[in-house]
């Protein structure tokens, strides 16, 4: 759900996260988003073949991953806290194959324990204040032998004054849904405390290929933009 802007946060109007994404939903899919393009280059390999699996998409936004997984033969449940984003997702072809749920991600998730082979959360974590409780919920949903697969804007981007933002067409104002400046260690320690053990951690930078597809990425050349993690249930 996230997007690099290159704009200092103090030049934006910061709004509650849900309200921000409700306002962003109308034109979210049409924006040129280098972070999404970079994530889509790598994420499918990390999540693996989902055919026949149960998948939870936590923070599904407009359904870009959920719809692809369902089309690939997964049984997908997708949750988001923005009703406007979910309305966009539900209007797309193939949406009838996905169970969409509106729910506040800061609250316990209304899904069965050990009910999913894959628990995925894409470009959402920087909007979560209470990481320990959130990671504990992700572990609860993941069945033994499954995986929790995560993508997040790399914390190094905050050093460039970057956070999720959009420009409101009617006013030209930059709007920033509330984000939190977590570090890699914050994510890793929250995962470990929840009983999740990493088996993959990678950092991905903007490169010439990305800049060719999304020219705005050129100003981040060589700079880490994306962090990917895959976690397994530990023994606790």
């Amino acid at each position: 759900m996230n997007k690099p802007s290159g704009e200092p946060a103090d030049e934006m109007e910061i709004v509650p996260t849900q309200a921000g994404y409700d306002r962003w939903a109308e034109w979210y899919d049409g924006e040129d988003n280098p972070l999404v393009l970079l994530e889509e280059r790598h994420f499918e390999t990390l999540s693996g073949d989902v055919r026949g699996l149960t998948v939870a998409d936590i923070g599904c936004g407009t359904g870009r991953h959920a719809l692809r997984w369902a089309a690939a033969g997964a049984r997908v449940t997708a949750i988001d806290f923005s009703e406007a984003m979910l309305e966009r997702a539900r209007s797309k072809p193939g949406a009838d194959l996905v169970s969409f749920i509106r729910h506040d991600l800061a609250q316990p998730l209304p899904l069965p324990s050990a009910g999913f082979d894959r628990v995925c959360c894409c470009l959402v974590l920087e909007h979560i204040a209470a990481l320990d409780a959130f990671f504990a919920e992700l572990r609860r949903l993941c069945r033994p032998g499954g995986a929790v697969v995560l993508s997040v804007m790399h914390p190094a981007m905050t050093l460039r004054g970057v956070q999720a933002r959009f420009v409101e067409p009617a006013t030209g104002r930059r709007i920033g849904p509330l984000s939190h400046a977590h570090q890699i260690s914050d994510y890793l320690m929250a995962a470990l405390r929840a009983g999740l053990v990493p088996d993959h951690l990678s950092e991905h930078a903007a490169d010439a290929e990305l800049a060719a597809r999304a020219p705005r990425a050129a100003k981040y050349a060589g700079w880490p933009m994306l962090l990917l993690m895959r976690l397994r249930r530990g023994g606790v």
Side-chain angles (χ1 to χ4, degrees):
M1 298 173 60
N2 211 339
K3 178 171 185 172
S5 69
E7 300 291 346
D10 60 3
E11 294 184 11
M12 289 185 283
E13 176 188 350
I14 303 300
V15 300
T17 305
Q18 177 187 330
Y21 280 98
D22 280 342
R23 291 166 67 175
W24 198 351
E26 182 177 353
W27 52 88
Y28 182 87
D29 285 331
E31 293 190 328
D32 174 23
N33 190 329
L35 184 61
V36 167
L37 292 174
L38 184 60
E39 186 220 46
E40 290 179 347
R41 186 194 299 176
H42 301 284
F43 197 82
E44 186 172 358
T45 299
L46 193 61
S47 57
D49 184 0
V50 298
R51 181 173 41 193
L53 301 184
T54 53
V55 178
D57 187 359
I58 309 302
C60 64
T62 60
R64 63 191 178 92
H65 285 304
L67 294 169
R68 176 173 57 82
W69 291 327
R75 300 182 299 279
V76 182
T77 301
I79 292 183
D80 203 90
F81 50 8
S82 168
E83 181 58 36
M85 298 291 271
L86 288 173
E87 286 177 4
R88 290 284 171 179
R90 294 186 185 108
S91 71
K92 295 178 178 179
D96 58 315
L97 299 176
V98 179
S99 175
F100 288 104
I101 299 174
R102 158 73 175 92
H103 186 76
D104 183 350
L105 301 186
Q107 301 300 317
L109 299 170
L111 298 175
S113 297
F116 298 91
D117 301 295
R118 298 285 185 275
V119 179
C120 300
C121 182
C122 301
L123 305 180
V124 170
L125 287 175
E126 73 171 81
H127 298 300
I128 304 297
L131 289 178
D132 281 5
F134 190 72
F135 274 84
E137 278 294 278
L138 299 183
R139 183 190 186 278
R140 180 183 66 80
L141 301 183
C142 186
R143 63 175 44 128
V148 175
V149 190
L150 308 167
S151 68
V152 62
M153 179 187 284
H154 198 289
M157 294 297 283
T158 63
L159 300 177
R160 299 286 297 266
V162 176
Q163 73 150 85
R165 76 90 177 93
F166 61 96
V167 177
E168 202 166 49
T171 65
R173 290 184 299 173
R174 288 184 288 273
I175 309 297
L178 179 65
S179 299
H180 305 278
H182 300 307
Q183 302 303 313
I184 294 176
S185 59
D186 297 326
Y187 297 130
L188 286 176
M189 293 309 297
L192 291 170
R193 286 190 291 266
L196 290 166
V197 179
D199 77 353
H200 176 95
L201 179 68
S202 59
E203 301 166 276
H204 303 272
D207 57 16
E209 178 186 347
L210 183 65
R213 298 182 64 191
R216 290 186 301 122
K219 60 186 170 184
Y220 305 115
W223 196 265
M225 291 184 68
L226 178 70
L227 175 67
L228 295 178
M229 294 175 279
R230 186 174 60 216
L231 311 166
R232 306 287 183 178
R233 286 177 56 127
V236 299

